[in-house]
Amino acid sequence: VATDATCSGLQILAGLARDKKTAQLVNVLPSDRPQDAYKVVADTAKPNCPMHIQKVMDRKTVKRTVMTIPYNAKPFSNRSYIRDALREKGIEIDKEDLTVTVQAVRDAMNNVVPGPMSVMKWIEDEVSRFIKDGSTEIEWVTPSGFVVNQRIMEKEKKDIRLQLLGECRLKIAMDDTKADINRHRAATAPNLIHSLDASLLHISASQFNKPIALIHDSVLTRAVDMAELSTIIRETYMHLFAERDYLTDFAHQIGAETEPPIIGDLKPESVIDSTYFFC
């Protein structure tokens, strides 16, 4: 049987920012019933959407956008996700109304999950400065000991002749090119989240000596073993975010000049009692 995280990107960011408000919405904190961050974002965005869109502004309309913003999805991709969701409901939206709707959802994210949004903005700013100061790569060590090396170089266009395709123009990263600041800005927060997500599952799996399968933020095991695995996952999250301040560690590793935006009102150890953290 399988059990899934509730929007794992926001769960990780809530731990990094020690953001109680976000943690509550993604079931890091215990509650009597599963919390639904997607619905809260949709309800918050609804009054600022065009009138004819308000009636269909629900969790399904915003879910893919809310899921991908923690991985640095930008308004361009937000537009396609929301347009596709509305088309499934039989509604076509023009460019102007789509722009207003996307902005309403992004503004709602800033209001509903302020900690994660601040962390991502801080990472972008610090990474930009780090690369502008002459660095070509960013490196950090995850809690499981994995060393992440992020090297993204600008690409040059090269014309080459291929045996089958003939003349082609490719973008190639050359040894003597500069670090690509924009792509570093866009990639670092998603890569950090993925690396911590991987650490959570890596450490959990290493303590679980029974059949297990992993698909991103979904864990699968035999039904008789799921209670044990669920306990291990909750204990591991607590270990990652309650026993250490990993965002400050990360700031030191990348030579950040400003303090990370840690809200500090979350006690991550509360996850032990959260029935719906993975459910």
Side-chain angles (χ1 to χ4, degrees):
V1 297
T3 183
D4 299 348
T6 304
C7 199
S8 62
L10 288 177
Q11 287 181 335
I12 296 294
L13 286 166
L16 287 173
R18 301 281 179 96
D19 179 4
K20 182 178 180 179
K21 182 179 179 181
T22 299
Q24 185 73 60
L25 289 173
V26 292
N27 298 307
V28 171
L29 294 179
S31 59
D32 294 335
R33 62 182 63 186
Q35 300 300 300
D36 191 346
Y38 307 120
K39 183 178 185 304
V40 174
V41 171
D43 290 345
T44 303
K46 184 183 297 185
N48 299 313
C49 294
M51 190 65 66
H52 70 287
I53 299 299
Q54 292 183 16
K55 61 183 180 181
V56 292
M57 181 53 62
D58 57 20
R59 72 184 310 275
K60 189 172 182 180
T61 301
V62 305
K63 182 176 180 180
R64 196 173 181 190
T65 297
V66 174
M67 286 176 63
T68 55
I69 283 178
Y71 300 101
N72 227 359
K74 298 301 182 184
F76 180 79
S77 59
N78 299 160
R79 292 175 70 89
S80 63
Y81 297 155
I82 291 175
R83 183 191 295 113
D84 291 346
L86 291 173
R87 280 177 177 166
E88 289 182 9
K89 299 174 183 290
I91 295 175
E92 290 293 334
I93 185 170
D94 62 34
K95 290 182 178 179
E96 291 75 16
D97 284 349
L98 183 57
T99 297
V100 172
T101 302
V102 167
Q103 189 59 52
V105 173
R106 294 186 70 90
D107 289 345
M109 287 286 287
N110 282 312
N111 180 269
V112 173
V113 289
M117 300 300 283
S118 296
V119 168
M120 289 187 292
K121 177 65 167 58
W122 173 81
I123 290 173
E124 285 191 352
D125 292 344
E126 286 295 336
V127 165
S128 294
R129 182 203 55 75
F130 190 68
I131 299 300
K132 286 178 180 177
D133 286 348
S135 299
T136 58
E137 58 192 54
I138 300 169
E139 184 175 287
W140 65 90
V141 181
T142 71
S144 65
F146 183 80
V147 179
V148 179
N149 185 278
Q150 179 177 283
R151 179 181 173 86
I152 307 175
M153 309 303 289
E154 291 183 350
K155 294 182 178 181
E156 295 182 1
K157 292 181 179 178
K158 294 288 183 180
D159 293 323
I160 62 173
R161 183 171 182 78
L162 302 178
Q163 196 73 7
L164 294 178
L165 300 178
E167 294 288 342
C168 290
R169 172 164 288 190
L170 302 179
K171 288 185 177 181
I172 303 172
M174 309 297 288
D175 290 338
D176 58 350
T177 55
K178 300 183 298 182
D180 191 323
I181 293 178
N182 291 331
R183 291 178 63 213
H184 267 295
R185 277 172 54 91
T188 306
N191 285 343
L192 175 62
I193 294 169
H194 282 306
S195 72
L196 292 174
D197 197 13
S199 286
L200 174 65
L201 296 181
H202 177 191
I203 295 171
S204 298
S206 68
Q207 300 176 57
F208 185 71
N209 192 27
K210 291 173 182 175
I212 186 173
L214 308 172
I215 307 173
H216 185 48
D217 62 348
S218 177
V219 294
L220 302 86
T221 190
R222 298 177 302 192
V224 294
D225 299 323
M226 183 54 78
E228 179 184 349
L229 179 57
S230 295
T231 297
I232 289 174
I233 288 172
R234 286 159 174 76
E235 289 175 345
T236 303
Y237 184 93
M238 180 183 71
H239 168 71
L240 295 185
F241 297 110
E243 297 177 9
R244 61 189 297 176
D245 177 1
Y246 187 80
L247 191 58
T248 297
D249 290 349
F250 178 75
H252 292 156
Q253 291 184 73
I254 66 170
E257 291 186 351
T258 60
E259 293 294 320
I262 298 172
I263 294 176
D265 59 358
L266 170 67
K267 294 182 178 180
E269 55 269 29
S270 300
V271 73
I272 292 296
D273 299 317
S274 177
T275 303
Y276 304 108
F277 178 59
F278 270 63
C279 64

